[in-house]
Amino acid sequence: MVVRRILCVAEKNSISKAVAGHLGGQYQTGNIRGTQYVKNYSFDYTFNNSWGPSSVVFTAVSGHIMQQEFPSRFKNWNNTDPWDLFEAPIEKSIDEKNQPIANNIKQHAQRCSILYIWTDCDREGENIGAEIRQIALSANPRIEIKRAHFSNIERTHIIQAANNPLLLDDNQVNAIESRMELDLRTGAAFTRVLTLSLQDMIKAVDPELGIISYGSCQFPTLGFVVNQYLRVKNFVPEPFWSIKITHKKEDEKNKKPDQRPITVNFNWVRGHLFDRMAVVLLFERCLNAKFAKVIKMERKPTSKWRPLPLTTVELQKNGSRFLQMNSSRVMAVAEGLYQKGWISYPRTETDQFDREINCQALCQKQTQSREWGPHAQGLVNGNFRQPRRGTHNDKAHPPIHPVNYVEKSTLSHEEQKVYEFVVRRFLACCSDDAKGEKTTVAIDYGAEIFNATGLIVLHRNYLEVYPYEKWEDSQQLPEYQVGETFIPTEAKMTEGKTSPPHYITEPELITLMDKNGIGTDATMAEHISKIKERNYVESRPATAAGRLAAASDEGDTAPATRGRGGARGRGRGGRGGATASARGATRGVEEFVPTTLGIALIEGYENLNFSTSLSKPFLRKEMELQMKAICDGQRTRNDVVQENIERYRAVYMRTKDQMSVLKAAVNKYIVEPERSNGS
DNA sequence: GCAAGGTC
């Protein structure tokens, strides 16, 4: 019998190894001369389709294999006009360091009749698949090309995928091609023209500075930092006024001999107003009314929702908040934990677990821990809840979760922190929401409405294992009857002023990048590092205000309990939401201040007064939409590339024309430094 | 000496 030979290629070694394990059970491992990260796994497998019994070699690449570059005649910065880079040819070739991997594919392709592509099922994976296809076809033009569709590496899912080969989606391949081409052309053209035009001015004061780069991700990232800097700098405090009511009342329900009356604080539903006379008039109406009347007394169950399954963006934000590590560091540590097999793949946008993933079994593995084992045991013994499902699914990777238990003492200090966070987050996802009872009393006092709220936490549930979030009892309210009237113990008009905004913190910057589609889960941290490296921004420990804001996050609380404490979303300067203890847990948060150069670049481009601003995130957002259109077959790669090149050419011409404006901006900040940090 | 995206 002729046995079919099939060459399978994954995007990374961890996938080929895991899939080989599921399909082959027993497999032979072969080394590849010249690379240490990729292996060949050989085994026999009977496909449950027309392929039948087959001899399989399962290998991998390490991400992209090819690189694109301009031909050498365009490589000299001094005798190439950057303008020419908008239409210079681009050569795609096998990256020198990937040559052994490419040769390995060629060698096996010659002996196989089918190339089965197992790259990640996202757009970038589709493109990497096309690179693999090209290399295999160069060695064996008759090889048949198939593509596996899988979104996790659970056994049943993988076997299902293996038996149902599909085709590469060339629309996705082309969408990525257009992004690559535009990023290279615009990045190179603008980096060269900016560097060549401005470096003399800047080197005069900063001889260290090498290049002034432009990139479709790094520039908008810088834009966010500068934007917030300008808000801080231009801030003018504004006074506001409010009304506070207190009432001392015996708690009829829990009357004990030594019981002292409870002081209830009522907050004005209007929060505060910026018009003093208006508040004076309203306050006088309150005083004239003399009596306050209870219009609502409500006790109802409330809950604080357990967190969603962990994505990369969330891991990075929480790393800043709770683990005293910046996003680059967190990712490096998570990568190590993944390599060692303790946690799942750390680059994912997915916040929902597929049904195939047995979360309960994963909880079981954590029962050995002295610290969180008892909680995990409780889950196994009946408290387990299937995790909530978020709205994101990259269809390539599951949420980040622990895959095996490891004794903390065998890990480095930083690894311990990240591993513990991943585990606790996962166990929290599999626990029940925290449950409590919320009391709200509303009064009408001179036609103004005031509220008092109280919270009793009844069941901490997920909070038991997730100390990163706090939810604590607040003031206990005495019993009121609707219709009851009383004379407030104290009514006063208060005065305050808006406080200045803080510089942007790392979690806030990541949130903005995420919302605007700047970078991917794998690259956001790199873009932040890049603008530091380019000397566009500096980082420093955040001030108390920044840490406070960094600790607060919308979306983690059930609607019924939103605005507890009443501070959230009130004044223009107020950014409430974090508890005192959350504040203490965020010492490691970094904030970013643009350098004079960073401000000059952004301000210079703003002053070009041009509709297509390089410093704003819209261009990147639009490119994202255009890539989707290519994926949906509504636009072609060529069409999108041409349209964008025209736009960038217009910006480029404007840049050259108005170089004096850019130079003036640089001059203003650099030659006559005028730094006012507002702190 | 340029970008952003994979990956170790």
Side-chain angles (χ1 to χ4, degrees):
Chain A
M1 186 173 68
V2 181
V3 173
R4 207 179 291 271
R5 289 178 199 276
I6 298 183
L7 171 62
C8 295
V9 187
E11 184 165 324
K12 44 189 166 273
N13 183 63
S14 63
I15 298 284
S16 53
K17 189 173 179 183
V19 178
H22 287 327
L23 300 185
Q26 302 282 333
Y27 54 76
Q28 288 189 321
T29 306
N31 286 321
I32 302 169
R33 186 191 289 273
T35 180
Q36 50 178 319
Y37 305 115
V38 177
K39 311 268 183 230
N40 292 328
Y41 303 99
S42 312
F43 55 91
D44 293 329
Y45 181 70
T46 302
F47 286 87
N48 188 14
N49 57 31
S50 62
W51 296 351
S54 306
S55 164
V56 179
V57 174
F58 217 121
T59 188
V61 293
S62 272
H64 283 286
I65 289 199
M66 322 268 273
Q67 58 175 3
Q68 44 176 17
E69 54 186 344
F70 295 111
S72 52
R73 65 182 186 279
F74 292 94
K75 280 188 180 157
N76 185 312
W77 288 35
N78 293 316
N79 52 29
T80 302
D81 187 342
W83 173 261
D84 294 340
L85 299 177
F86 285 117
E87 47 183 42
I90 291 177
E91 292 169 347
K92 239 186 149 175
S93 59
I94 294 167
D95 199 327
E96 203 45 51
K97 69 178 197 302
N98 288 327
Q99 204 66 54
I101 291 172
N103 288 339
N104 179 58
I105 291 172
K106 285 183 194 170
Q107 215 176 76
H108 285 97
Q110 283 172 349
R111 302 173 55 237
C112 291
S113 57
I114 295 173
L115 168 67
Y116 201 3
I117 293 166
W118 284 77
T119 47
D120 294 352
C121 288
D122 49 28
R123 287 189 307 222
E124 216 67 44
E126 216 67 13
N127 190 276
I128 293 168
E131 294 179 359
I132 296 166
R133 170 175 65 184
Q134 187 184 330
I135 288 164
L137 284 172
S138 76
N140 178 358
R142 289 185 316 280
I143 198 165
E144 187 185 344
I145 318 278
K146 292 289 176 185
R147 202 259 196 268
H149 273 233
F150 63 107
S151 56
N152 63 63
I153 47 169
E154 287 305 301
R155 175 181 297 272
T156 49
H157 182 76
I158 287 301
I159 290 171
Q160 167 79 11
N163 292 325
N164 292 283
L166 298 165
L167 298 175
L168 266 186
D169 178 357
D170 275 296
N171 284 342
Q172 291 186 52
V173 174
N174 286 329
I176 295 300
E177 289 291 312
S178 65
R179 185 212 27 90
M180 285 174 161
E181 179 175 346
L182 285 167
D183 280 343
L184 176 62
R185 292 192 189 284
T186 58
F190 281 97
T191 298
R192 288 190 196 181
V193 77
L194 287 174
T195 303
L196 293 172
S197 310
L198 301 173
Q199 70 181 357
D200 289 347
M201 280 178 85
I202 292 168
K203 277 215 164 124
V205 287
D206 185 0
E208 293 285 284
L209 197 83
I211 55 175
I212 302 168
S213 61
Y214 164 80
S216 60
C217 288
Q218 48 178 278
F219 238 59
T221 305
L222 171 61
F224 293 137
V225 175
V226 173
N227 199 13
Q228 186 64 20
Y229 162 84
L230 293 176
R231 265 187 225 147
V232 174
K233 198 179 156 209
N234 299 329
F235 175 78
V236 181
E238 255 186 291
F240 58 73
W241 293 267
S242 184
I243 304 172
K244 291 243 181 306
I245 309 291
T246 58
H247 181 222
K248 279 189 183 162
K249 188 176 187 345
E250 302 282 348
D251 190 357
E252 303 293 338
K253 226 165 76 179
N254 302 317
K255 209 158 188 179
K256 286 180 237 151
D258 59 341
Q259 182 81 42
R260 302 230 309 260
I262 297 175
T263 301
V264 184
N265 297 305
F266 288 92
N267 293 311
W268 197 17
V269 293
R270 290 185 200 264
H272 52 241
L273 300 180
F274 293 92
D275 179 344
R276 183 173 178 276
M277 266 324 286
V279 178
V280 168
L281 290 173
L282 294 170
F283 183 56
E284 277 174 359
R285 265 170 46 187
C286 293
L287 295 182
N288 290 339
K290 200 167 172 195
F291 285 97
K293 181 175 174 188
V294 176
I295 55 173
K296 184 170 115 184
M297 170 76 199
E298 191 180 73
R299 262 181 219 286
K300 63 175 182 191
T302 183
S303 53
K304 184 170 170 62
W305 290 352
R306 57 206 171 127
L308 284 169
L310 186 61
T311 61
T312 304
V313 164
E314 275 297 302
L315 174 64
Q316 292 182 347
K317 286 200 257 177
N318 286 303
S320 286
R321 288 179 191 138
F322 306 126
L323 311 179
Q324 290 90 47
M325 279 182 236
N326 69 28
S327 55
S328 302
R329 196 63 213 137
V330 170
M331 287 313 290
V333 173
E335 176 69 35
L337 290 168
Y338 157 69
Q339 291 299 333
K340 290 182 213 161
W342 304 131
I343 66 171
S344 64
Y345 190 65
R347 294 185 274 276
T348 175
E349 296 169 20
T350 306
D351 54 10
Q352 37 187 250
F353 281 101
D354 285 356
R355 288 285 157 193
E356 288 103 340
I357 295 183
N358 187 342
C359 292
Q360 217 163 338
L362 292 168
C363 291
Q364 171 75 53
K365 292 190 177 178
Q366 297 297 330
T367 55
Q368 326 167 37
S369 163
R370 262 187 304 130
E371 290 166 88
W372 53 78
H375 187 88
Q377 191 63 55
L379 297 181
V380 172
N381 291 349
N383 294 336
F384 175 83
R385 298 284 178 278
Q386 188 62 27
R388 288 165 59 198
R389 295 175 68 81
T391 54
H392 305 92
N393 196 331
D394 61 20
K395 302 274 183 192
H397 304 285
I400 304 169
H401 61 272
V403 293
N404 273 308
Y405 175 75
V406 59
E407 195 60 49
K408 263 170 78 177
S409 57
T410 65
L411 300 174
S412 75
H413 179 61
E414 284 185 319
E415 284 175 332
Q416 288 181 23
K417 286 198 289 186
V418 173
Y419 180 72
E420 175 166 351
F421 176 75
V422 170
V423 173
R424 288 185 178 275
R425 171 73 170 226
F426 176 72
L427 295 175
C429 286
C430 298
S431 305
D432 210 342
D433 295 341
K435 298 284 163 62
E437 184 183 69
K438 188 177 127 173
T439 310
T440 308
V441 181
I443 56 170
D444 176 322
Y445 185 39
E448 290 302 306
I449 310 294
F450 299 84
N451 275 333
T453 58
L455 173 74
I456 305 172
V457 177
L458 299 171
H459 303 289
R460 294 180 52 75
N461 295 331
Y462 86 87
L463 292 169
E464 301 278 5
V465 76
Y466 200 64
Y468 313 101
E469 283 179 10
K470 299 283 182 262
W471 203 45
E472 273 148 13
D473 289 357
S474 66
Q475 64 173 340
Q476 310 285 307
L477 298 184
E479 220 27 57
Y480 283 93
Q481 302 297 326
V482 172
E484 171 182 349
T485 59
F486 60 84
I487 299 173
T489 313
E490 190 181 25
K492 61 180 178 189
M493 195 171 139
T494 60
E495 187 177 348
K497 62 177 194 235
T498 53
S499 45
H502 53 271
Y503 294 112
I504 199 164
T505 61
E506 197 183 32
E508 291 171 314
L509 182 56
I510 290 173
T511 304
L512 271 181
M513 293 172 75
D514 186 37
K515 278 190 183 146
N516 287 284
I518 305 299
T520 68
D521 44 27
T523 60
M524 278 181 209
E526 287 174 28
H527 298 310
I528 295 174
S529 302
K530 179 74 80 182
I531 60 174
K532 282 200 242 178
E533 183 192 320
R534 290 280 184 260
N535 200 23
Y536 295 161
V537 307
E538 282 163 6
S539 63
R540 62 185 194 195
T543 59
R547 293 202 309 272
L548 178 58
S552 94
D553 201 0
E554 294 294 316
D556 59 352
T557 306
T561 60
R562 275 272 166 80
R564 148 184 59 93
R568 185 171 284 165
R570 278 280 173 72
R572 272 174 253 182
R575 307 185 66 148
T579 62
S581 10
R583 245 172 280 171
T586 55
R587 272 166 292 129
V589 174
E590 285 182 352
E591 68 180 15
F592 299 108
V593 187
T595 62
T596 50
L597 173 60
I599 300 164
L601 286 173
I602 297 300
E603 206 173 87
Y605 265 96
E606 304 271 293
N607 289 347
L608 291 187
N609 198 14
F610 197 72
S611 59
T612 311
S613 176
L614 294 187
S615 62
K616 295 278 189 280
F618 313 127
L619 274 175
R620 188 80 200 179
K621 238 181 177 169
E622 207 167 304
M623 188 190 290
E624 188 61 33
L625 291 177
Q626 292 172 335
M627 281 201 286
K628 279 213 178 77
I630 297 175
C631 288
D632 297 341
Q634 290 159 357
R635 300 196 62 178
T636 66
R637 167 187 169 185
N638 212 7
D639 167 36
V640 166
V641 169
Q642 280 317 311
E643 180 190 313
N644 280 284
I645 285 192
E646 289 320 311
R647 295 179 72 170
Y648 280 102
R649 271 191 173 130
V651 182
Y652 184 95
M653 281 195 282
R654 186 85 179 191
T655 305
K656 286 286 276 190
D657 257 18
Q658 305 274 318
M659 192 53 80
S660 57
V661 175
L662 271 175
K663 283 186 174 168
V666 171
N667 200 51
K668 178 175 153 202
Y669 283 101
I670 288 191
V671 182
E672 316 152 25
E674 171 239 25
R675 288 278 289 277
S676 86
N677 305 354
S679 64

